[in-house]
Each structure stands twice: as structure tokens, then as C-alpha cells.
Amino acid sequence: MMKKRHVLSLLLFLVGGLCMKAQVKWVNPLEQPFPVVRGRAWHHELQGSYARLPLKAKDKVNKAVWNLSRQSAGLSIAFYSDSPEIKVKYVVNGGLSMAHMPVTGVSGVDLYATDKNGQSRWCAAKYALGDTLVYTYSGLTYEGGSGRGYEYTLFLPLYNSVSFLEIGVKDNASISFIPVSEEKPLVAYGTSIAQGACASRPGMAWTNIVSRDLQHPVVNLGFSGSGKLEKELFELLAETDAMLYIIDCMPNMISPADTAVIVERILTGVKILRARSHVPILLVEHSGYTNEYTSSRAAASYKAANHKLRKAYNALIQQQVSDIYYLTKEEIGLSMDAMVEGVHPSDLGMQQYADSYVRKIREILKEETGDTPTCIPCKQQRDPYDWQARHEQVLKLNRADPPEVILIGNSIIHYWAGEPLADMQRGKHAWNRLFAGTKVRNLGFGWDKIENVLWRVYHGELDGYKAKDIFMLIGTNNLQFNTDREIVEGIAFAAKAIRERQPSAKLHIVGILPRKGQEQRIKDINAKLQKELMKTDAVYVNLTSLFIKEDGRIDPSLFSDGLHPNEKGYEKIASQLYHYLYKENLNTDF
């Protein structure tokens, strides 16, 4: 009897364990209270679908464009999760594959994870293909202290329409969706190449590579065989609040009839865009064919199209139309093996496409990168607060109420006081005295390093308004990771990026505050920084003497932990900044 009970208990334990292992909770991204589908304009008009053009476009565009706009090319969903396994189940409405493009590209999904230091990681999947497609990402591991887990981005199929999709995580794991960004997108209008043919998986479409690399939203308006520079599409483009327009339609303009209208359609389209905004416009040549040296006919067709595009570009320059840029076939530089069938890029070709775009876009948007880690912009999520949400909050506040004074930096700024409000304010009294009657914005982010500030500068936190004064205090979180030279170079690099976006503001660079045990090193860095800034118009602000005793060590009475000032310390900072803000009132005590 005891043996039977023992066997029964063991069986119940095993069955229970299997049930526990199989438990998955499923969530539908479209059922969230805010838009979560990235990579498109018209978010609110497209709620409840994975389409790219709104219903109002149906009677404007031709049938082919409309049908292709139902396909989810370039769309993605971002979420946080700490689940060791993530499943995606979904239904598509078209054929799973094409002769020259695999099912993983036509109908597959693609998952990327971003860790707490802003590094991107690709996730491999096992998949089951049937009436319902299921992708399973197993064995996902997380760094210690990653909090809510990784930030995931799920790219959707390039050449199919998604009618249903759910994401599953372990029942005891978390998942929270990230709202679409307030940042202005790069809007790409093009052909099958822009739509994604013939990438092996969605993440390798060039628009998605650009989005992953630059971390800007990208709206994919690539329509296979139907990127014809039509007026109706330019009118739709003009409705988007873009950061940059990319016009890449030459691969669909190679017939004599199409080539004949290139100049007219480009000039008309640019006129439509310029009537709405002065956003930069990038015109892109045909990238050529990889069999052009064995087919004179193929070479002649793309050369004729590019000749007409160059003619249109020159006409725009002669008309003094501002912010018109040009990307040549040679700059794209596809290699011999970069296409699947001589027309559409393979993954190699897509990467080469994307690399050329990234170089050109960085040039247009003034988002250069340096050779050191401090000069390469990246995100972070090292603190318990939601770093990305704070960034989005800054964008909203700046748009609603443009600030006059900006303080940008790390936790020393973040937890001082001011909007956006933090969960703690260590120097509220000093803040309110200093900035009474002034529109001021706190762009301090806890645990930020120099490269994180650079990312935020490149992603809109200083765009769309004119500040009078900007103060940047950054660098202390780089001390344990970077050399003195890298820190100085990074701060100067970030200062240059700020100046390019706020040319009329008085720019003040605050030296790194002294911290316990590193007083001498910080003193040396600040001396080098001050010397470097003498080459610029930035003003160096030295607060060191306020926090150092005669023996060269910090005054602990001014700090809460040897690094962050307390209320008394913030009073010291405020009294010094007062003289930079209100020079006309120097006779008035703070």
C-alpha cells in the first residue's frame, strides 16, 4: 500500500511539474491602452491592425499599393520581459514564401534584446509553420540587476499581412509593452528593396538595420513593384511629422515610360513636401544590378534612371531648395555577391545598403560618432527607474512647454529637483530659489554616462526650441570604465553635439564634481577638460573649490554618500550657477 501511494505521489509530482513547465500567459499587443506598433505613421488611425497606410489612403493610392500596405514590413513591437522563454504565435493571410525569398523573411518574425548597457543581442528561435505560426525563443538569460529584464524588439513579417498575434511568456515572468516613441521618424518611400526583398529574416531588411543601428524610428513605405514617385504618395508623406524623408524609387523607374517622368515627379513631390515642412530630403540612386557586366541591357536601364534623378537633383539645387541630399550608386557600393538573383539584395546586400544609409544619415542629421566608447551614443537601463520612459517624458514636456534653461547630466542633476519629477528630490529648496520664474527642464538621468547623454542629444531632447542657457554635468559614471583621455574627449564631443542643436544658447560645461577617494584624479581630468574647452565657445564652470577642504579631500558635510550632494551641497551649487544665469544681477546675493 505504501509503495502504491509513493508511486501515485511521484506521478502526481511529475504531472504537476510538466503542467507548471507548460504554463504560458499570452498577451495581445493590440489590446494595450496605448499604441505599441512601431515603424509607421498614423498610429491612432491604424489602431487594431498591423497595416502601414490608414483607411483614408485606400481611395487615393492604386490597388497594388493599397494591398501591399496591408503587409507588415518594417513594423515592430517593443516590450520588457524577464521570461526565460518567449513565444510568438500569429496568423498571416498570404503565402508563406516566394521562389527567391524564404519563409523566414516573407512570413517570419525576428527578436532582438537590448541589455542594461544598451547593447543589442539577436535571439535565435525554433519555429513551427502551419495555419498558426509559432516562434519559440528558449534559454534566455539575464544579467544580474537587470530589473525588468531586457528591452525586446520583435520585427514583423516583411511580405505578409498579420491578422492575429500574441506574445507568450512564462506565467511567473513579467511582460510590459513600450509605447511608440515621441521621436520623429525617418520616413522611407521606395520599392521592393525598401519593403525588404530578399532578406532572410525581418531584422535584416535595410530599413530595420538602420533602425537598429541609429535607434531612430523608421517608417517603411516600400511597395514591391509600386514605388513610382506618385503624387498621392508624396501627399501622404507630407502628413508625417518626419525627421528625414528618404526617396528610393529608382528600381521601379527603369522602363522608358517611367524614366521619362522621373524629373517631373521628383520636382512635384519635393514641392509637396516643402509646402508642409523643411525636413531634409534624401534622393537615392538605383544601386545597380550585380549582373550588369554580363548584361548591357540591365546596366543601361538603371543608368538612364539615375541620370534623370541627378537631373532632378541639380534642378532643385538651382532652385535653391534647402536641405536636399543625394546618395549615389557608388556610395551604396553593392558587391558582386550582394544580390539573390541580380536584382534584390541578400542579407549581405541589405547590410551594405544599410551601412551606406547610416553614413549618409549621420552626416545629414549631424550624428557623428567617435572612435572611443564615450563618443558612441547608446541607451542604458542600469537604475530601477524607467530610463526610456523618462526620455519620452522629456520630449513631451519640451514640446508642450519649451524650456529656457536646461540642466543635462546624471543622477546629480536627476535627483536635484524640477521636471520631469523624480521619485526623490534632494535639493528642492535650492532649485526653487535658483530658478524662480524661469522655465527650466531637468535632463538628468540616473547612472548616465557620457555616451548616454550623447544618445539623448541625438534623439531629440534638445530639438524644437531655443534655450538661453544649458548646463552639462557628466562624467563621474565613466570613471570606473574609461581613461582620463576618453572622458575628456567624450565630454567635448557631447558639447559639440549640443552646440550644433542649440547654436544660440550659452553653453556651460560643469567640471566633474569631486567624489570620495577620487579627488586627485578628478582634479586632473577637470584641468584637461578646461584646457580642451578653451578651443570652443563653451564656458567651463568650476565647482570643485566649493566641495573640497584644505587637505584636498571632499567635505563630507556637503554629500549624502561621498558622491551625491545633500541639500547643503545643492545650495552651494545653486549659489555658483546663479552668477552664470543672472550676470546682470551680480550685486544681488543668492
Side-chain angles (χ1 to χ4, degrees), residues 86 160 187 292 341 479 499 525 528 582:
I86 295 174
N160 227 321
V187 179
E292 65 177 274
E341 70 318 34
L479 292 172
R499 173 54 74 213
I525 292 174
K528 294 172 185 175
Y582 312 112

Side-chain angles (χ1 to χ4, degrees), residues 318-549:
Q318 289 177 356
Q319 295 171 17
Q320 296 184 333
V321 178
S322 62
D323 287 319
I324 303 293
Y325 298 88
Y326 200 83
L327 182 63
T328 67
K329 170 188 179 293
E330 290 71 26
E331 288 175 302
I332 296 171
L334 297 189
S335 61
M336 181 180 68
D337 295 320
M339 290 184 175
V340 172
E341 70 318 34
V343 177
H344 296 95
S346 61
D347 286 355
L348 172 62
M350 286 292 185
Q351 186 66 60
Q352 291 172 352
Y353 249 99
D355 289 345
S356 69
Y357 268 110
V358 167
R359 287 191 295 270
K360 183 64 71 171
I361 292 169
R362 287 199 184 281
E363 174 188 328
I364 295 170
L365 300 182
K366 295 181 172 59
E367 294 184 1
E368 61 182 302
T369 61
D371 297 325
T372 62
T374 54
C375 300
I376 300 173
C378 71
K379 303 166 69 174
Q380 65 102 345
Q381 187 58 68
R382 289 181 284 268
D383 257 10
Y385 76 96
D386 192 329
W387 190 92
Q388 184 69 37
R390 182 171 173 84
H391 168 65
E392 296 296 331
Q393 192 177 4
V394 166
L395 299 182
K396 285 184 179 180
L397 286 170
N398 289 350
R399 194 168 298 174
D401 187 21
E404 300 170 329
V405 176
I406 290 293
L407 279 78
I408 188 165
N410 47 42
S411 57
I412 295 171
I413 300 296
H414 186 174
Y415 298 113
W416 184 352
E419 290 189 321
L421 295 176
D423 56 2
M424 69 176 86
Q425 298 181 63
R426 297 186 174 116
K428 186 176 180 180
H429 177 69
W431 179 281
N432 290 340
R433 286 186 63 201
L434 178 61
F435 297 116
T438 302
K439 291 184 178 181
V440 60
R441 187 88 353 103
N442 184 325
L443 271 58
F445 284 54
W447 243 116
D448 255 17
K449 296 192 284 187
I450 299 164
E451 54 267 37
N452 307 131
V453 163
L454 187 62
W455 189 97
R456 295 194 284 114
V457 170
Y458 284 175
H459 287 258
E461 292 189 9
L462 297 179
D463 295 343
Y465 61 94
K466 291 184 178 180
K468 294 180 180 178
D469 290 274
I470 298 175
F471 294 86
M472 181 172 71
L473 169 59
I474 195 66
T476 196
N477 291 324
N478 291 87
L479 292 172
Q480 61 181 304
F481 302 102
N482 301 103
T483 65
D484 295 4
R485 182 189 64 80
E486 290 172 339
I487 293 170
V488 171
E489 185 177 332
I491 294 174
F493 199 86
K496 179 185 175 185
I498 293 171
R499 173 54 74 213
E500 286 172 337
R501 285 151 183 79
Q502 292 283 345
S504 62
K506 289 182 286 185
L507 177 57
H508 309 82
I509 307 302
V510 183
I512 301 173
L513 288 192
R515 61 186 292 178
K516 185 177 180 180
Q518 301 208 48
E519 292 91 341
Q520 185 58 49
R521 184 186 176 195
I522 292 173
K523 181 180 178 181
D524 294 341
I525 292 174
N526 282 342
K528 294 172 185 175
L529 176 61
Q530 185 174 11
K531 184 177 180 180
E532 184 67 25
L533 293 175
M534 289 175 66
K535 305 173 186 176
T536 73
D537 65 350
V539 177
Y540 177 75
V541 178
N542 185 359
L543 300 181
T544 299
S545 61
L546 304 177
F547 292 91
I548 291 291
K549 298 187 298 182

Side-chain angles (χ1 to χ4, degrees), residues 40-41 183-187 216-219 240-245:
R40 63 186 183 187
E183 291 184 34
K184 296 182 179 183
L186 316 176
V187 179
H216 285 302
V218 176
V219 173
T240 64
D241 188 14
M243 177 184 293
L244 169 70
Y245 291 112

Side-chain angles (χ1 to χ4, degrees), residues 118 134 246 276-277 399 416 533 550 576:
V134 180
I246 298 169
R276 294 287 187 95
S277 74
R399 194 168 298 174
W416 184 352
L533 293 175
E550 290 184 3
Q576 189 72 5

Side-chain angles (χ1 to χ4, degrees), residues 126-376:
K126 292 183 178 180
Y127 33 85
L129 308 176
D131 292 338
T132 298
L133 293 85
V134 180
Y135 270 59
T136 302
Y137 301 89
S138 300
L140 300 170
T141 57
Y142 301 90
E143 302 166 303
S146 60
R148 58 181 62 85
Y150 285 143
E151 176 187 332
Y152 288 99
T153 301
L154 180 72
F155 290 99
L156 302 188
L158 298 171
Y159 265 84
N160 227 321
S161 301
V162 177
S163 59
F164 168 82
L165 184 145
E166 285 187 337
I167 299 173
V169 299
K170 290 295 186 181
D171 194 48
N172 60 350
S174 66
I175 180 170
S176 58
F177 289 94
I178 303 173
V180 295
S181 177
E182 292 286 324
E183 291 184 34
K184 296 182 179 183
L186 316 176
V187 179
Y189 170 38
T191 68
S192 55
I193 297 172
Q195 184 166 344
C198 286
S200 67
R201 49 186 176 83
M204 289 307 297
W206 74 255
T207 56
N208 289 340
I209 298 174
V210 168
S211 179
R212 292 192 286 111
D213 196 336
L214 295 177
Q215 297 181 352
H216 285 302
V218 176
V219 173
N220 183 325
L221 294 179
F223 303 109
S224 187
S226 301
K228 298 282 191 174
L229 300 174
E230 293 164 323
K231 178 182 177 182
E232 294 78 10
L233 265 298
F234 278 104
E235 289 173 344
L236 288 166
L237 289 177
E239 292 182 8
T240 64
D241 188 14
M243 177 184 293
L244 169 70
Y245 291 112
I246 298 169
I247 312 301
D248 189 355
C249 293
M250 290 306 100
N252 283 165
M253 305 298 289
I254 59 173
S255 74
D258 289 326
T259 301
V261 299
I262 288 173
V263 175
E264 174 194 347
R265 291 190 178 184
I266 286 290
L267 296 182
T268 299
V270 170
K271 185 177 180 180
I272 291 170
L273 295 179
R274 277 291 169 265
R276 294 287 187 95
S277 74
H278 292 280
V279 171
I281 298 170
L282 175 61
L283 304 178
V284 184
E285 285 191 348
H286 194 308
S287 61
Y289 302 105
T290 51
N291 68 328
E292 65 177 274
Y293 296 107
T294 57
S295 172
S296 59
R297 182 179 178 182
S301 65
Y302 85 74
K303 288 179 180 178
N306 286 349
H307 174 74
K308 292 292 186 179
L309 183 67
R310 173 66 75 169
K311 185 176 180 180
Y313 171 73
N314 289 337
L316 292 167
I317 297 301
Q318 289 177 356
Q319 295 171 17
Q320 296 184 333
V321 178
S322 62
D323 287 319
I324 303 293
Y325 298 88
Y326 200 83
L327 182 63
T328 67
K329 170 188 179 293
E330 290 71 26
E331 288 175 302
I332 296 171
L334 297 189
S335 61
M336 181 180 68
D337 295 320
M339 290 184 175
V340 172
E341 70 318 34
V343 177
H344 296 95
S346 61
D347 286 355
L348 172 62
M350 286 292 185
Q351 186 66 60
Q352 291 172 352
Y353 249 99
D355 289 345
S356 69
Y357 268 110
V358 167
R359 287 191 295 270
K360 183 64 71 171
I361 292 169
R362 287 199 184 281
E363 174 188 328
I364 295 170
L365 300 182
K366 295 181 172 59
E367 294 184 1
E368 61 182 302
T369 61
D371 297 325
T372 62
T374 54
C375 300
I376 300 173

Side-chain angles (χ1 to χ4, degrees), residues 30 35-53 73-76 180 185 187 217-221 240:
L30 297 183
V36 301
V37 181
R38 300 182 171 197
R40 63 186 183 187
W42 308 285
H43 289 296
H44 293 284
E45 296 173 68
L46 288 166
Q47 279 287 73
S49 77
Y50 294 106
R52 293 182 287 155
L53 288 181
L75 304 189
S76 63
V180 295
V187 179
V218 176
V219 173
N220 183 325
L221 294 179
T240 64

